Amino acid sequence: MKVVICGAGQVGFGIAERLAGEQNDVSIIDTSPRRIQMVTEQLDVRGVVGQGSHPDVLARAGVEAADMLIAVTLHDEVNMVACQVGHALFNVPTKVARIRAQTYLAPEWRDLFSRDQLPIDVIISPEIEVGEMVLRRLSLPGATDTVSFSDGAVQVVGVLCGEDCPVVDTPLSQLTQLFPDMPATIVAVSRKGKTLVPRSNDQLAVGDNVYFVAQADQVQRALSLFGHDEVPGQRIVIAGGGNIGYYVASELERRNAAARVKLIEFSRERAQTIAEVLSRTVVLNGDTLERAILDEAGVREADTMIALTNDDRINILSCLLAKQIGAKRILALLNEQGYATFARGLGIDAHVNPRQITVSKVLQHVRRGRIRGVHALLDGSGEMIEAEALETSPLVGKPLKDLDLLEGLRIGAIVRNGQVLLPRGDFVVRAHDRVVLFALADRIKRVEQLFRVALEFF
């Protein structure tokens, strides 16, 4: 696949890294010569210095032969114009744009992105995606990670195995005997920095970060089997009143009448603006690294402190300070991928990575075959994928235990006619089933082949 990426920032670099690693033909455009030099030195991609919305720059990047144009610069308007130029002058089949300003996405302006106006095939709004991820974490305080599939019917949840975890040191094959009503399938394990696809005779160990798949209304019960019975908190402090912080606060007001939310914003002008819009949230103007402002926000009594500023270091330090003061749980927004392990080692309970969320959203539309959803896990070492099984798929018609196609893969759930099923060894996949599975990064191409329409189907 030939892909042109506009923007070599964290998101653009992340997309280029994944696509180039899968042997795609990738060109990347950025106005910064330094960024282009850095990307081309580290990745097997073609770099072009220039404005991604300019026709001559797109032409130098080879857009006339591109299957997809992905515009993820820092400027919405550049991303939109790049897609318009890619459509009008170069007839690019698929155009993807990151658009952050919510005014463009308001329902009353939905015709803006029609094919006759701004022909963008896929719009990604990181603020909403990240905000929804934060809200899911708040509803499941025992989880280290959460991802939703099949319109919310299926949840993929990461959880840490502590000393009191009931399921450690037990072969997975025996878990269903010990817990016959266990409502989850374990699909991936991160142990000492290595990602594993567990087999039936494997055992979990203390310190493992485990990912399981469950029906949405069974997640809380599944978490309790891992020793996590934490109750969602109602007293919440948010550090940072930017787009994400404002979105989380406003949605908490709308969805949770019992929530008591306080928001700290450094900019006085911004604090006044959001205070006029939010109705029940207490907005404070101040520095989240100052003890006095945290005390004023009531961090000592807070169930959860969420740091959502644009600075990873402020997010980490303010969370640690809040925990020292007395916050029961802390969650940080971390853009730098390398900070995640570091932050976890410092005692931060959970983190959200906007880059990973945005890259996952793009990959959903890059993957070939009947792929319906994608989310990268564990620093990109694997992916959760939702795909539709067609009549020609080699997965269809045979018990899973008889298939030799699943090395490096693990099926977590099947959605059949709206019903969520947890597969065992004798389970048989049918045509049109939605399959939710985990795949190691080097097995992604295999997954695409399993869910691609074969020529003989026609």
Side-chain angles (χ1 to χ4, degrees), residues 124-183:
I124 298 172
S125 177
E127 281 75 13
I128 293 177
E129 299 290 340
V130 174
E132 287 297 324
M133 180 72 76
V134 171
L135 291 166
R136 285 198 295 272
R137 298 286 179 84
L138 287 173
S139 67
L140 296 170
T144 61
D145 199 359
T146 58
V147 189
S148 179
F149 288 96
S150 293
D151 299 321
V154 175
Q155 292 272 9
V156 180
V157 179
V159 62
L160 192 64
C161 292
E163 296 284 350
D164 57 349
C165 178
V167 299
V168 298
D169 300 326
T170 303
L172 298 187
S173 59
Q174 296 181 21
L175 289 182
T176 52
Q177 300 171 21
L178 296 173
F179 306 97
D181 59 344
M182 185 173 182

Side-chain angles (χ1 to χ4, degrees), residues 443-457:
R443 300 294 291 171
I444 300 300
K445 290 296 183 184
R446 182 57 174 154
V447 175
E448 293 179 351
Q449 293 167 0
L450 290 174
F451 293 97
R452 191 178 295 182
V453 181
L455 290 176
E456 57 267 26
F457 179 71

Side-chain angles (χ1 to χ4, degrees), residues 90-105:
F90 302 103
N91 199 29
V92 179
T94 304
K95 286 81 60 184
V96 180
R98 177 173 66 176
I99 297 178
R100 308 176 76 168
Q102 296 305 299
T103 184
Y104 286 125
L105 307 177

Side-chain angles (χ1 to χ4, degrees), residues 393-395 400 402-409 443 446 450:
S393 172
L395 289 177
L400 295 179
D402 295 339
L403 295 172
D404 58 357
L405 309 165
L406 302 180
E407 182 69 28
L409 315 176
R443 300 294 291 171
R446 182 57 174 154
L450 290 174

Side-chain angles (χ1 to χ4, degrees), residues 267-324:
S267 165
R268 184 174 184 82
E269 182 181 356
R270 176 64 178 172
Q272 290 176 336
T273 299
I274 59 179
E276 292 172 358
V277 181
L278 296 171
S279 57
R280 291 188 291 109
T281 301
V282 176
V283 179
L284 304 173
N285 174 224
D287 187 344
T288 58
L289 296 181
E290 289 185 4
R291 174 68 182 259
I293 195 70
L294 292 178
D295 287 339
E296 186 180 351
V299 164
R300 186 183 302 278
E301 295 79 30
D303 297 309
T304 308
M305 161 76 169
I306 316 169
L308 302 174
T309 77
N310 291 323
D311 190 316
D312 288 0
R313 290 165 293 184
I314 291 177
N315 292 340
I316 292 172
L317 291 173
S318 61
C319 275
L320 295 177
L321 182 56
K323 196 160 195 176
Q324 184 184 55

Side-chain angles (χ1 to χ4, degrees), residues 11 71-77 79-80 97-105 113 123-128 130 243-244 310 333 335 354 358:
V11 171
V72 288
T73 75
L74 294 176
H75 307 288
D76 292 351
E77 291 74 17
N79 297 338
M80 291 189 287
R98 177 173 66 176
I99 297 178
R100 308 176 76 168
Q102 296 305 299
T103 184
Y104 286 125
L105 307 177
F113 299 106
I123 294 172
I124 298 172
S125 177
E127 281 75 13
I128 293 177
V130 174
N243 290 336
I244 298 173
N310 291 323
L333 182 77
N335 287 284
T358 307

